[in-house]
Amino acid sequence: METTFESLEITPLEWISINQFLHEVKKIDSQCVSVYYPYGKGQDTISLLQETKRNETFEKIELKIENKITELKKNPVSVGKFTKTLCIFGWIKNGKVVIKVIGTSKKLPYIYMASKKPFIKPFNDILKTNYDVLLVTLDQKSAKIQKFHGSQIIQESKFGIDLQGRHKKGGQSQGRFLRARQTKIHVFFKKIANKVKEMDSNSSLILLGGIGPAKTEFYDELNSELVKKCRFVENLSFSTSMKDINAKIIYHLYQHRQKHVVELIEKYEELVKNGLTAKRNDVIDKALKMGAVDTLIVSANYHTNSQFKKIMKMLEVAKNTSSKIEFAVSPKIIKKLDVDNSVLAILRYKIK
C-alpha cells in the first residue's frame, strides 16, 4: 500500500529544490571542500576545519567556509520546513573562492571532505536525487513514457492508436472483432515495450501505472531484465499532477534504496567466510590506504561514535581511492553497524 507524501522522509517540494541545487553543484569541475554538519554544530565544525591542515588552496577555501558557518548561525537557510543539516560547498573559480549553501530538513551524515569534485553521495543515497526512473502511464490506446533524472524529465515519448471500443452491428463477427482488437493492442504494447527498452539504459526503476487493466497486460510484454526493475504504481493517470508524480517517485525510490542496503549487508555476511570483509576500523583504515576496499558501508549516525573524526578521514580516503560509499539509514542496520564501530567494508581482495 502506498503512503502519501506527507509521511515520507522528505516532501516533493523540498526534494525538487535539492535536485535543482545539486544540478548546479554537479557542474563544479575543480577541487572542492564539502561540509555537512547538524544544525547547532557550527562552532564544532569550525574547530574541525581549523585543526585539520590542508594545502594552501584548500586552506583558502576553508577560511571562507568558516566565515559562512558564522553567518549561518544567525540566519540558517533551509529548503524544508526546518533546518536539520547545513551543507556547504566551496571551490575556486577564476582565482576567487565560490561558496554554495543549502539547508535541508533531513538528517545527513556529518561530512568534512576535500576532494577533486563535490561530494554529493549523502544526497544521492538518502534523498534519492541521482537516480534515473522511467514512468510509464498507459491505457489500451495511449501511452506516455517519461524518463526522470531526480526531479527533471530528461526524455519523453507519447504513443496512441485508433481503437474502436465496441463491435458495430453487421460486418465481421463479434469474435473476429475482439481478436482483431486484441491483436492491435498487443502490437501497440509491443511497440511501447521496445521504446521502454530503448529508453531504459541505467534506470533504477520502471514505474508502471494507468487506469484499467492495461498496465498488467503491458507488464507481460516486458523482458526479464525490465521486469526486475518494474513496480506498479496506484492512482496514476494521464491527469496526475507533477506534485503527486514526484511523491510517488520518492516513495518508490525509498523502497528501492532500503532493499539495496539490505542486499549489501547480506552480500557482506556472505563474503565474511571468504575473507573479503573487514569490520574493525583500524583494519578498514589500512585496507583503504592500500586501495583494497570495494565498498564502505557507513552508519548515517556515525558522528555519534567516539571514532567519528577517524571515520570522517576514512570517508575521504574512500572517495579519493574510488571505493564505493554507502550510507545506511535503516534503524535496524544502524543498530548492527553500531556494534562494529559504525563501519563495515567489502574488500576487493584479501589483505594480511
Side-chain angles (χ1 to χ4, degrees):
M1 182 178 176
E2 278 195 80
T3 184
T4 58
F5 74 86
E6 286 85 2
S7 63
L8 290 170
E9 298 268 356
I10 188 169
T11 66
L13 187 61
E14 182 175 356
W15 187 66
I16 289 168
S17 298
I18 290 169
N19 270 273
Q20 291 168 340
F21 176 85
L22 292 179
H23 183 67
E24 296 301 315
V25 170
K26 287 173 192 173
K27 294 177 183 177
I28 302 167
D29 193 21
S30 61
Q31 293 185 107
C32 184
V33 177
S34 308
V35 177
Y36 299 63
Y37 66 95
Y39 177 64
K41 292 287 185 180
Q43 192 55 52
D44 294 345
T45 307
I46 289 173
S47 298
L48 189 63
L49 288 161
Q50 290 174 342
E51 71 183 47
T52 308
K53 298 305 173 188
R54 303 282 188 180
N55 65 38
E56 188 179 340
T57 300
F58 284 134
E59 290 284 346
K60 189 176 177 182
I61 296 169
E62 288 176 1
L63 182 59
K64 287 284 186 181
I65 290 177
E66 289 167 23
N67 294 337
K68 178 56 71 174
I69 291 172
T70 302
E71 287 177 26
L72 291 170
K73 280 185 191 177
K74 301 172 185 175
N75 188 26
V77 296
S78 181
V79 291
K81 217 169 184 181
F82 306 101
T83 306
K84 287 188 179 176
T85 309
L86 287 155
C87 314
I88 307 175
F89 301 91
W91 70 101
I92 292 179
K93 184 177 181 180
N94 299 326
K96 292 184 178 180
V97 177
V98 182
I99 300 290
K100 283 188 79 72
V101 181
I102 193 168
T104 173
S105 66
K106 187 76 174 69
K107 287 183 180 179
L108 299 183
Y110 204 141
I111 299 290
Y112 162 39
M113 183 180 294
S115 52
K116 294 177 182 176
K117 288 188 176 183
F119 184 65
I120 58 173
K121 181 69 173 173
F123 285 106
N124 296 345
D125 283 351
I126 296 170
L127 300 181
K128 318 295 173 291
T129 56
N130 200 38
Y131 293 83
D132 286 344
V133 174
L134 281 185
L135 183 72
V136 183
T137 310
L138 78 168
D139 55 28
Q140 290 183 327
K141 59 183 181 180
S142 51
K144 181 166 63 176
I145 310 169
Q146 295 167 301
K147 187 172 186 175
F148 287 81
H149 181 77
S151 63
Q152 293 185 316
I153 298 173
I154 57 174
Q155 194 177 350
E156 185 173 62
S157 288
K158 294 180 181 179
F159 299 85
I161 55 170
D162 181 20
L163 190 68
Q164 189 177 325
R166 294 183 180 180
H167 178 240
K168 295 177 181 178
K169 291 182 179 179
Q172 60 182 302
S173 69
Q174 175 76 5
R176 186 182 299 175
F177 167 79
L178 291 175
R179 286 193 298 275
R181 188 177 188 275
Q182 199 57 45
T183 298
K184 196 171 185 179
I185 293 170
H186 172 74
V187 171
F188 177 56
F189 285 168
K190 198 75 178 173
K191 183 179 179 181
I192 300 166
N194 288 335
K195 189 64 178 178
V196 168
K197 184 179 178 181
E198 179 188 316
M199 290 173 64
D200 174 57
S201 63
N202 295 317
S203 62
S204 301
L205 290 172
I206 299 171
L207 303 183
L208 184 57
I211 304 302
K215 56 181 177 286
T216 51
E217 293 174 14
F218 171 72
Y219 180 81
D220 293 334
E221 300 294 338
L222 297 173
N223 65 35
S224 58
E225 288 303 309
L226 296 178
V227 163
K228 289 176 188 175
K229 299 181 181 182
C230 201
R231 307 286 184 276
F232 287 106
V233 181
E234 299 302 319
N235 303 316
L236 178 70
S237 69
F238 294 109
S239 61
T240 301
S241 70
M242 191 54 69
K243 176 184 173 182
D244 287 342
I245 285 173
N246 283 330
K248 292 174 190 300
I249 289 173
I250 298 166
Y251 170 78
H252 283 281
L253 281 173
Y254 269 99
Q255 300 301 308
H256 171 72
R257 177 65 195 167
Q258 287 171 4
K259 182 182 176 186
H260 172 71
V261 177
V262 168
E263 288 172 349
L264 202 58
I265 294 294
E266 288 173 353
K267 180 181 177 182
Y268 171 90
E269 290 172 347
E270 180 65 27
L271 291 173
V272 168
K273 60 190 176 187
N274 299 325
L276 289 172
T277 62
K279 65 177 183 178
R280 285 191 6 237
N281 285 357
D282 57 339
V283 176
I284 295 172
D285 189 40
K286 176 186 172 185
L288 281 165
K289 289 170 181 172
M290 293 169 61
V293 174
D294 176 78
T295 306
L296 201 64
I297 307 167
V298 186
S299 164
N301 290 349
Y302 81 89
H303 65 277
T304 60
N305 188 294
S306 61
Q307 296 191 49
F308 105 90
K309 288 185 182 180
K310 182 176 182 178
I311 296 170
M312 191 175 280
K313 290 176 182 175
M314 287 161 60
L315 286 166
E316 185 169 288
V317 176
K319 166 70 173 172
N320 291 322
T321 54
S322 301
S323 299
K324 294 189 285 289
I325 300 170
E326 301 288 352
F327 291 104
V329 293
S330 158
K332 184 178 178 181
I333 294 177
I334 284 177
K335 188 175 180 181
K336 175 179 177 57
L337 286 165
D338 284 346
V339 176
D340 296 306
N341 277 322
S342 298
V343 186
L344 295 172
I346 294 174
L347 305 179
R348 294 180 174 128
Y349 52 84
K350 290 182 182 181
I351 60 172
K352 294 180 179 180

